[in-house]
Amino acid sequence: MTKKVLESELFIMLLFAGAVLTMPLWLAPIGAGYPDLMQKFAIFGLFAIGYNVLFGLTGYLSFGHAAFLGVGSYAAVWSFKLLSMNVLPAIFFSMIFSGIFAYMIGFVSLRRSGIYFSILTLAFAQMSYNLAYSVLTPITNGETGLQLTLNDPRILDAASSNGGALPSPTLFGLKMSGFEGFYFCAVLLIIGFFIALKISRSPFGLVLKGIKSNQTRMKFTGFNTRPYLITAFVISGMYAGLAGSLMAVTDPLAGAERMQWTASGEVVLMTILGGVGTLVGPVLGAGIIKYFENIFSAFNDRSLHEVLAFLPDGMENIVVTLVRPFVGEGWHLTLGVLFMLVIIFLPGGIMQGIDRIFGKSKKKKAAEAAAATARMGEEQHG
Amino acid sequence: MSKKIITTNDWSRRSVLKAGLGTAAVAGAPMFYMKNAYAAEYLNDPGDASSVKFGFNVPQTGAYADEGADELRAYELAVQHLNGEGDGGMLNTMQPSSLKGNGVLGKKVEFVTGDTQTKSDAARASAKRMIEKDGVTMITGGSSSGVAIAVQGLCQEAGVIFMAGLTHSNDTTGKDKRRNGFRHFFNGYMSGQALGPVLEKAYGKERNAYHLTADYTWGWTQEASIKASTESIGWKTGNTVKTPVGAGDFSQYITPVLNSGADTLILNHYGKDMINSLTQAVQFGLRDKQVNGQDFVIVVPLYSRLMAQGAGENVKGIFGSTNWHWSLPDAGSQAFVKSFGQAYGFPPSQAAHTCYVQALLYADACERAGTFMPCEVVKALEDHKFDGMGNGPTEYRGADHQCFKDVLVVKGKDNPSSQFDVLEVVEVTPRAQVEYEPDNEFFAGGDLGPCNNGAA
């Protein structure tokens, strides 16, 4: 395989698609090969890819992307309630609404950069969360969350009673739960990845990267950067809306907690953990965080003893006592430690680690990564 | 500059490829998920396996974490008793009982746990893991009605049984009821019916009430129920203010009460929220005030021993209602308190009690049905009458899957003899007084729908 083949879009896409579609096979041995978690991998992968279009390419650190995720979810559930249980209109309206919402927030927030931009987006997202939680209760059903009911109008669906049970979202009759739901999300993830790849390699992507390295210089050369920034912001908002709608597609319920600032912070962590500005990094980061959240949090004393049963008795108890604070309700601790280790030793995220293992010109790479981080740092401080 | 960046990307792409190749190699591993492809009659049929798995989905973090921890203790105790370990607890007092102390249907009971974080999303993710990965036949747990309703809906869609833990909203067995879901705990309407006469006797007919209400399904329905019941004894309702769950600081909501002209504060809060709001209300001097010529009083419609303990001195003399209390003298309660105390060193809370009972009731229903198939278990539980579980004669009504039994009205003890002895039972309200028709206005609008065995 020559270098050219390795870098061709077709090859990258084939490999990515292959890895994503075979997830049920290679995730099974680590206990993650069940549909719900794999759906989460795909959905948050999309969310992080979209987030990376903004943060990775332009360097603008948004702390409010969960708001677009929430808007997408609400739009999708309302589409299920009012129009049809078909997922296509739901996804369409989610992306439209989150796009409009992103344009409005971006229009105001992008007047500033650096920390001021981050704080603005954080404030807007927290405002949206509180609105969804209290004032907009008729639309969002507040804390309880928006759910389907039997007497929703669903004007496009023919009168199918479904035996008195609640209908579930379908793609022209194909149910969107279980493995079908996963493959649907996986296909959208692959399409989303392809679009991100195209953006990153396009002239438009180059402009965004230019903004990241030195916006002032871009402006001096006669570039009006603002339309580019707004476009990037809206694109990444629409990715978030798509992810939000997929959450509703695989599980027709929308809650305000999806918009909370912790959810916004999570996608920042995913992107940084995986590798800012890389294509696959955010997907990896999303996968790792969701894996920790779902698998590590489920360990309790009993399951630890089962796993460590091969150790001698006294030893087993000591190890269990030592490990216990890091699993179960303490999984955040493990994630925190991992995050610190990655940031300290691999500032370029896990992708940098993979580069170090496989990369041939290590020194060059390291220098570049360091420069990239330095730029990031500058931007945040300045 | 730009050229350099392109190079960066080339390299990361290349590493992507290599990473991808690595994963492709792993994909060769023969672990194949199609093992579930053979036909089973219902979802997660344990078949010939020697064990069956239950899922315990409780809040381990957040405002209801104390309750969640106690629920988990009760579940572990229930599993021990079902498997014939320990002293058997309520297995000895339950009537009728088909449980033999050898597991359920001869299969050893195992369990998995999950953290709901008191969030619908997290709770559903955790429940899905239990259903899809761990293969449970039943999920139980709660402590927030919002979460209970969300998980109940999920269990209905997936096709497993949901035995609700602590959930007090009318909606759980009202407008959001489901055929696969069952609730042993009482509800907001019952609290209202039980508290009304006691409040009338203690505080008279001339009262002006101010509600602080947790802003979700439980708070809304409890507020409506208490409002209806207190207005029927002649009280007026002033303001009703919604507060976010887990607010921590309630001072901004309590200050307006002082100048509102209200003489009664009704706290529709639970868990740590109730501890905080009650403590702050007392610290603000509400209870030392005189309004409209009467002492200012506070009512906490849903009480629990854990909360009373958390609020300490502040609960003295405050009325509320509860599903169960460890000081009850009947044989079932005593047996449960004894084995819980031996295992953990302190008495169980009402949350622990309802969860323990739910686990036993499910196991018993499986024994009677002779299968774990959800639809058969539903039939065994509907209109099932039982006794010896701490609440006297109890019935699982088939029309809405709500248990009907006596309700306790309690009061914060003035002279507690120990740190656990903080509540005294004022009245045991008989079942007839709290019973209602399935189409009662507070419960109307829902439909159980058909039962769901799940896709095999």
Side-chain angles (χ1 to χ4, degrees):
Chain A
M1 285 191 285
T2 66
K3 198 178 167 199
K4 209 171 182 184
V5 173
L6 280 170
E7 282 164 11
S8 76
E9 276 167 17
L10 182 70
F11 189 76
I12 293 173
M13 287 313 298
L14 277 180
L15 207 64
F16 183 79
V20 169
L21 293 175
T22 54
M23 265 203 221
L25 301 178
W26 55 270
L27 283 177
I30 55 168
Y34 64 100
D36 180 57
L37 186 55
M38 292 190 301
Q39 287 163 8
K40 295 254 152 43
F41 285 164
I43 291 168
F44 282 90
L46 262 173
F47 189 20
I49 286 178
Y51 185 74
N52 192 45
V53 169
L54 180 73
F55 181 41
L57 296 185
T58 69
Y60 273 65
L61 175 67
S62 159
F63 252 115
H65 258 52
F68 310 130
L69 188 84
V71 168
S73 284
Y74 283 124
V77 176
W78 272 112
S79 159
F80 290 144
K81 284 170 90 75
L82 298 179
L83 292 175
S84 157
M85 291 308 290
N86 195 316
V87 299
L88 295 183
I91 290 175
F92 175 76
F93 283 112
S94 296
M95 293 184 67
I96 296 294
F97 274 104
S98 51
I100 295 171
F101 199 62
Y103 182 79
M104 293 193 300
I105 290 184
F107 189 81
V108 181
S109 307
L110 285 167
R111 292 181 175 276
R112 293 284 171 269
S113 62
I115 187 78
Y116 305 103
F117 169 79
S118 305
I119 295 296
L120 274 174
T121 50
L122 178 63
F124 276 118
Q126 208 44 19
M127 256 159 64
S128 320
Y129 165 69
N130 281 319
L131 283 176
Y133 195 97
S134 54
V135 186
L136 296 179
T137 300
I139 302 176
T140 61
N141 205 18
E143 160 86 10
T144 315
L146 192 61
Q147 297 191 36
L148 303 177
T149 59
L150 280 172
N151 39 19
D152 291 329
R154 276 186 274 282
I155 48 173
L156 293 183
D157 282 359
S160 61
S161 64
N162 201 9
L166 272 182
S168 39
T170 60
L171 179 68
F172 302 111
L174 185 68
K175 280 207 173 188
M176 282 294 115
S177 52
F179 281 102
E180 295 89 343
F182 161 68
Y183 282 113
F184 182 69
C185 297
V187 168
L188 286 175
L189 172 67
I190 292 162
I191 297 173
F193 181 79
F194 178 68
I195 294 172
L197 177 77
K198 277 294 191 193
I199 290 175
S200 150
R201 289 183 170 187
S202 66
F204 170 70
L206 271 182
V207 175
L208 298 184
K209 288 171 191 162
I211 293 172
K212 181 177 180 175
S213 41
N214 197 332
Q215 185 166 198
T216 321
R217 195 182 295 164
M218 292 283 288
K219 281 181 178 158
F220 283 167
T221 53
F223 248 97
N224 182 6
T225 53
R226 197 171 147 76
Y228 288 91
L229 280 171
I230 290 190
T231 313
F233 195 82
V234 169
I235 290 174
S236 78
M238 286 171 82
Y239 266 95
L242 172 64
S245 77
L246 288 179
M247 285 176 81
V249 162
T250 53
D251 187 1
L253 173 132
E257 74 251 16
R258 274 179 204 171
M259 302 173 105
Q260 217 177 354
W261 66 272
T262 48
S264 297
E266 201 179 54
V267 72
V268 181
L269 291 191
M270 287 172 179
T271 313
I272 294 178
L273 191 65
V276 184
T278 61
L279 280 165
V280 179
V283 185
L284 272 181
I288 288 168
I289 288 187
K290 285 292 145 190
Y291 182 75
F292 271 79
E293 185 181 323
N294 285 280
I295 303 296
F296 269 58
S297 69
F299 278 105
N300 51 33
D301 283 327
R302 184 176 293 234
S303 44
L304 273 183
H305 278 288
E306 270 168 31
V307 172
L308 299 167
F310 62 91
L311 293 168
D313 261 0
M315 190 75 163
E316 184 184 325
N317 288 335
I318 295 171
V319 175
V320 168
T321 322
L322 285 178
V323 174
R324 188 67 183 83
F326 291 91
V327 296
E329 57 275 20
W331 66 273
H332 284 109
L333 206 58
T334 323
L335 189 63
V337 170
L338 179 75
F339 191 70
M340 277 167 54
L341 289 178
V342 166
I343 294 302
I344 293 167
F345 296 106
L346 300 167
I350 291 170
M351 287 312 290
Q352 191 193 355
I354 295 176
D355 277 358
R356 282 211 191 150
I357 297 169
F358 295 101
K360 274 169 193 159
S361 55
K362 274 187 208 163
K363 276 181 196 164
K364 195 175 143 201
K365 296 289 305 169
E368 260 173 15
T373 353
R375 279 202 301 275
M376 256 175 61
E378 265 168 36
E379 211 116 11
Q380 277 165 37
H381 296 296
Chain B
M1 197 68 198
S2 56
K3 199 177 174 192
K4 207 172 183 184
I5 290 166
I6 288 177
T7 335
T8 312
N9 262 351
D10 282 350
W11 274 102
S12 55
R13 249 174 257 132
R14 177 165 199 169
S15 46
V16 170
L17 308 182
K18 290 185 173 167
L21 281 176
T23 53
V26 181
M31 297 290 288
F32 200 51
Y33 66 93
M34 290 302 285
K35 66 173 188 284
N36 291 330
Y38 60 81
E41 284 179 85
Y42 55 95
L43 183 72
N44 294 338
D45 181 357
D48 298 330
S50 64
S51 64
V52 60
K53 260 190 198 146
F54 296 170
F56 301 145
N57 206 12
V58 301
Q60 299 176 13
T61 48
Y64 299 150
D66 292 345
E67 270 76 14
D70 221 39
E71 291 182 1
L72 210 51
R73 288 182 204 113
Y75 283 133
E76 292 185 16
L77 200 64
V79 168
Q80 284 170 21
H81 291 168
L82 287 173
N83 286 334
E85 298 158 21
D87 61 8
M90 279 191 191
L91 249 59
N92 307 315
T93 61
M94 182 179 178
Q95 286 165 335
S97 167
S98 311
L99 295 168
K100 303 175 194 74
N102 62 345
V104 181
L105 294 172
K107 296 185 195 306
K108 187 168 183 281
V109 178
E110 291 177 351
F111 65 92
V112 290
T113 60
D115 182 7
T116 67
Q117 302 174 30
T118 320
K119 290 178 183 169
S120 302
D121 269 350
R124 279 171 82 111
S126 159
K128 276 189 171 178
R129 170 182 57 80
M130 293 173 177
I131 295 170
E132 295 176 354
K133 173 167 174 257
D134 301 316
V136 300
T137 57
M138 180 273 287
I139 288 180
T140 173
S143 242
S144 156
S145 292
V147 167
I149 288 171
V151 176
Q152 177 166 274
L154 175 80
C155 291
Q156 176 72 47
E157 283 160 34
V160 298
I161 294 288
F162 177 65
M163 301 297 280
L166 194 151
T167 156
H168 189 246
S169 168
N170 292 342
D171 292 346
T172 313
T173 49
K175 88 179 165 51
D176 295 312
K177 58 177 174 268
R178 296 283 184 271
R179 183 70 68 181
N180 284 26
F182 290 86
R183 168 163 68 179
H184 170 263
F185 206 65
F186 71 142
N187 57 42
Y189 179 82
M190 293 176 169
S191 283
Q193 294 303 304
L195 270 174
V198 175
L199 291 179
E200 185 181 4
K201 215 160 76 188
Y203 299 139
K205 292 171 186 286
E206 302 287 320
R207 283 276 169 182
N208 190 355
Y210 190 109
H211 286 258
L212 287 184
T213 303
D215 193 3
Y216 70 107
T217 170
W218 168 66
W220 304 336
T221 63
Q222 174 167 300
E223 178 193 292
S225 304
I226 301 293
K227 204 173 140 192
S229 122
T230 51
E231 282 176 358
S232 76
I233 59 168
W235 291 20
K236 288 188 193 64
T237 307
N239 250 333
T240 59
V241 176
K242 309 273 186 290
T243 63
V245 178
D249 180 14
F250 290 89
S251 47
Q252 56 166 320
Y253 301 104
I254 290 170
T255 325
V257 180
L258 292 163
N259 308 313
S260 65
D263 48 35
T264 308
L265 175 63
I266 297 179
L267 289 176
N268 298 307
H269 287 153
Y270 194 72
K272 289 197 176 83
D273 283 355
M274 175 270 179
I275 297 176
N276 289 334
S277 64
L278 179 63
T279 307
Q280 286 175 354
V282 172
Q283 283 168 352
F284 277 49
L286 283 181
R287 298 186 74 188
D288 309 326
K289 270 174 64 98
Q290 286 263 323
V291 183
N292 311 330
Q294 341 185 50
D295 286 335
F296 194 100
V297 294
I298 300 176
V299 179
V300 180
L302 178 60
Y303 237 145
S304 111
R305 198 258 306 154
L306 285 176
M307 284 152 45
Q309 224 172 301
E313 290 279 298
N314 303 319
V315 298
K316 284 184 180 172
I318 288 179
F319 283 102
S321 65
T322 179
N323 191 52
W324 179 84
H325 192 253
W326 64 272
S327 65
L328 287 174
D330 64 286
S333 301
Q334 288 307 308
F336 177 52
V337 172
K338 182 166 158 266
S339 38
F340 194 95
Q342 273 171 2
Y344 305 111
F346 46 85
S349 65
Q350 61 169 351
H353 169 257
T354 196
C355 290
Y356 178 86
V357 170
Q358 282 283 67
L360 258 51
L361 282 174
Y362 171 77
D364 179 62
C366 293
E367 285 282 353
R368 285 185 288 120
T371 171
F372 294 99
M373 185 188 286
C375 286
E376 295 301 315
V377 177
V378 167
K379 271 187 219 152
L381 276 172
E382 282 182 347
D383 296 318
H384 176 54
K385 294 187 177 68
F386 56 93
D387 199 353
M389 307 286 272
N391 303 95
T394 308
E395 179 183 2
Y396 245 127
R397 183 158 75 185
D400 55 4
H401 293 187
Q402 167 71 47
C403 263
F404 286 89
K405 53 190 162 28
D406 300 345
V407 170
L408 304 181
V409 176
V410 292
K411 194 171 94 166
K413 239 183 185 173
D414 290 322
N415 299 304
S417 61
S418 76
Q419 58 162 322
F420 306 114
D421 181 34
V422 283
L423 295 177
E424 63 179 313
V425 178
V426 180
E427 186 191 275
V428 180
T429 310
R431 171 183 162 181
Q433 194 187 321
V434 298
E435 198 159 353
Y436 53 86
E437 289 302 311
D439 57 356
N440 181 300
E441 56 169 324
F442 288 104
F443 298 86
D447 187 357
L448 284 174
C451 77
N452 184 6
N453 276 333

